[in-house]
Amino acid sequence: MTTDRQRNLSADVQSLNVSLGSLLAARNSLLYQQATEGKFDEPTHAEFESEVRTMYEELFPYRNHNAIQEKWKQFQLDAIPVECSRIIKKEDEGVGHFGMESNGDDDDPIVQHAPVDWLVEWTRGFKEILKDLGLTVPVRNASGGATLRYGDIANARFGALGDFAETEFAQALIDDIEGQRQGGAIIVVDAEDARTGVGKTSAAVAFARLVANLFKYDLQPRDLVLSGKEYLNLYQTQPGEEQVSVAVWDEAVGAGSGDARRSMAQDNVDLGRAWQIMRTRRVVTFVTLPDWGDLDSRLQKLADYRLWCRRDIGEAMAYEIGTDFVGGKLRVRGLGPGDGAEPIQFPDMGGMNDPLFEALKQKKTELIESGTLDADSMHQDDAEEEPEETGPDLKQIASEVAENVGDYTAVHGGNGTKYIDKNLIELEHDLSLRKAKKVKSLVEKRGVEL
């Protein structure tokens, strides 16, 4: 027979699961920061403490339930409202391991956060209590699995990534970027059976936006490209090792560079070199293509992760890419419980009318309307298509631009990097966009200081 108490508990399962998910994410964020930096900051500590208090308030009405009375006392949960965010005098010394005081003026009271080891122990108590109550909790099963929600993307910050933060893929990627390696990463997004329409672009944009928001990079439409040449040009405007940046190279192979059948092409050689040095510049690139096997073998070896989009639209499985110690043979290892790749649900970015997804979609439309399926061919220098003598003297224009480079300089909205704006050259000298790009290239080759 179901009691009123059980019905009430069941009605609160969703709220409790959301609270516990946020709590575990905040705990992991602090412990990760401690492990990688040897310390944690006050905002991360405060966030963890806040999530503990929220969970306490959610469970407080059930503290006298027969199933959990002993556990409630064992973990001393009633100490939470007393010990969390204590207002103390400056001379009052903190207690416990990993305690932290917030900064304040000499005459202001100081907020003392509960020690981290207490917060961790209370979190363990919450998990055991929820289990004793027979409630479903957001702990992944043996096969793994997580969901990346659109809200997690838009408001991405450490400690608030939902259950996606618990996945091995998320933890490995963040460690690559923020851990001892302090570098970038290359994530290849392909599809089961090389199928179209399974959301490769949606996945790439979703994860790219997540990483960009997480590391405070203002992802712009210019960072989402179809052409290998455009992708290589992005490095000229990326901020460098002081700031993580993000790029999406959509339809690689199908729209130009990277094809295994063009392994000796100069573009592929240049891409290989770029991928070797990109890690020092902390660029995180998401590359989409129909099938992993179509990518140039050298580029395969330089990639870090593979997101394999399944026939079930909106689901991808994560893998780590590496090479054998002897012979350098390519190997791919599933990221998940055991050695299996865990499925990760991602949102339909088109269905959400995401502006960056729509911008990339428009670029694809322009490619189709151009009459060519090779995006690289749309970005060839004019010198390859039209003799300079039939039009303006581009070298003379380049000299004028170099002498007055400040008039043609813009600032990247996301990272503050200065760059020569080809659109300003186009308008000022009444050139085609392709010729404006040629002029920009000529100016940059002169090493003009911006």
Side-chain angles (χ1 to χ4, degrees):
M1 179 175 178
T2 302
T3 66
D4 289 339
R5 172 75 68 179
Q6 288 171 322
R7 276 195 292 268
N8 290 338
L9 286 173
S10 298
D12 290 336
V13 167
Q14 182 175 3
S15 176
L16 289 168
N17 283 335
V18 170
S19 295
L20 183 57
S22 297
L23 172 60
L24 295 178
R27 178 202 63 186
N28 292 347
S29 179
L30 185 143
L31 295 180
Y32 170 77
Q33 193 178 77
Q34 172 70 23
T36 57
E37 301 178 18
K39 60 182 179 179
F40 50 85
D41 56 32
E42 195 273 340
T44 304
H45 192 173
E47 178 70 20
F48 186 14
E49 182 184 71
S50 175
E51 295 295 347
V52 166
R53 293 196 65 169
T54 298
M55 195 74 227
Y56 170 82
E57 291 167 4
E58 290 266 12
L59 282 175
F60 182 77
Y62 313 122
R63 67 192 184 286
N64 293 323
H65 193 285
N66 290 336
I68 68 169
Q69 279 184 335
E70 291 303 317
K71 287 282 179 67
W72 193 272
K73 294 178 181 178
Q74 174 189 340
F75 287 97
Q76 303 180 44
L77 298 183
D78 282 326
I80 290 175
V82 177
E83 297 296 337
C84 290
S85 300
R86 290 194 300 129
I87 304 298
I88 62 174
K89 296 179 181 179
K90 189 170 183 182
E91 64 269 19
D92 186 8
E93 296 183 357
V95 295
H97 186 49
F98 284 154
M100 178 179 285
E101 297 176 358
S102 63
N103 294 326
D105 296 332
D106 290 342
D107 297 329
D108 293 337
I110 296 175
V111 177
Q112 168 95 37
H113 298 302
V116 168
D117 51 355
W118 292 12
L119 296 172
V120 171
E121 185 68 5
W122 288 330
T123 299
R124 188 168 71 88
F126 288 142
K127 292 179 67 176
E128 290 193 17
I129 284 173
L130 286 169
K131 182 179 179 181
D132 290 344
L133 287 172
L135 302 180
T136 303
V137 295
V139 177
R140 302 197 317 282
N141 59 31
S143 62
T147 299
L148 176 63
R149 298 174 178 83
Y150 194 74
D152 296 332
I153 296 170
N155 302 305
R157 57 190 173 88
F158 287 102
L161 295 180
D163 60 349
F164 172 68
E166 296 284 313
T167 64
E168 285 197 31
F169 171 61
Q171 294 171 9
L173 178 59
I174 292 173
D175 184 60
D176 276 348
I177 300 169
E178 285 291 274
Q180 291 184 348
R181 181 182 176 196
Q182 287 282 311
I186 300 164
I187 302 96
V188 176
V189 185
D190 70 329
E192 182 177 6
D193 297 330
R195 291 178 66 87
T196 59
V198 296
K200 296 188 301 293
T201 300
S202 189
V205 174
F207 287 104
R209 285 204 61 184
L210 175 79
V211 174
N213 291 339
L214 190 60
F215 290 97
K216 312 301 183 186
Y217 179 72
D218 186 13
L219 192 65
Q220 298 288 324
R222 59 170 291 152
D223 297 309
L224 288 72
V225 301
L226 298 175
S227 162
K229 294 182 183 297
E230 279 189 301
Y231 173 65
L232 288 171
N233 287 337
L234 283 179
Y235 288 114
Q236 299 176 12
T237 58
Q238 298 301 87
E241 62 185 51
E242 297 302 320
Q243 166 65 54
V244 175
S245 57
V246 181
V248 175
W249 179 19
D250 197 23
E251 300 295 347
V253 175
S257 303
D259 197 329
R261 293 169 297 180
R262 298 164 61 177
S263 61
M264 296 307 294
Q266 186 60 44
D267 287 349
N268 286 7
V269 175
D270 292 342
L271 284 167
R273 291 171 179 167
W275 281 10
Q276 288 180 55
I277 66 172
M278 69 168 292
R279 290 175 177 83
T280 62
R281 302 204 61 176
R282 306 186 77 191
V283 182
V284 180
T285 298
F286 292 84
V287 185
T288 79
L289 68 163
D291 184 80
W292 163 257
D294 292 337
L295 189 65
D296 184 293
S297 61
R298 286 170 298 185
L299 300 182
Q300 286 181 336
K301 291 181 178 180
L302 292 170
D304 299 292
Y305 301 100
R306 177 185 179 187
L307 285 176
W308 189 46
C309 293
R310 305 302 306 274
R311 287 173 176 264
D312 296 329
I313 298 175
E315 179 180 292
M317 302 185 76
Y319 298 83
E320 181 183 54
I321 300 168
T323 55
D324 290 337
F325 180 71
V326 179
K329 184 178 179 181
L330 196 70
R331 60 170 176 78
V332 179
R333 180 181 72 85
L335 289 172
D339 286 326
E342 60 186 326
I344 301 173
Q345 304 287 334
F346 57 87
D348 177 4
M349 302 300 278
M352 300 301 296
N353 296 315
D354 182 80
L356 290 177
F357 180 88
E358 294 300 324
L360 190 52
K361 181 180 178 181
Q362 179 60 33
K363 291 183 180 184
K364 290 184 180 180
T365 299
E366 293 173 357
L367 175 62
I368 294 172
E369 292 177 350
S370 72
T372 177
L373 295 180
D374 188 340
D376 286 335
S377 67
M378 295 180 62
H379 301 278
Q380 297 290 338
D381 289 338
D382 280 316
E384 298 178 10
E385 301 181 3
E386 179 181 2
E388 290 186 14
E389 57 268 24
T390 62
D393 187 341
L394 301 186
K395 292 183 178 179
Q396 177 59 38
I397 293 175
S399 297
E400 295 177 18
V401 171
E403 292 176 3
N404 304 280
V405 69
D407 296 336
Y408 302 90
T409 299
V411 179
H412 192 284
N415 54 55
T417 303
K418 292 182 178 181
Y419 65 95
I420 299 173
D421 192 335
K422 60 181 179 296
N423 295 311
L424 294 177
I425 298 174
E426 175 190 8
L427 293 173
E428 180 67 22
H429 295 276
D430 194 23
L431 300 175
S432 67
L433 183 58
R434 291 179 179 176
K435 289 186 176 181
K437 290 178 65 177
K438 176 65 175 178
V439 171
K440 175 184 175 182
S441 178
L442 290 172
V443 174
E444 289 173 338
K445 288 179 180 179
R446 298 185 182 194
V448 176
E449 184 175 348
L450 302 182

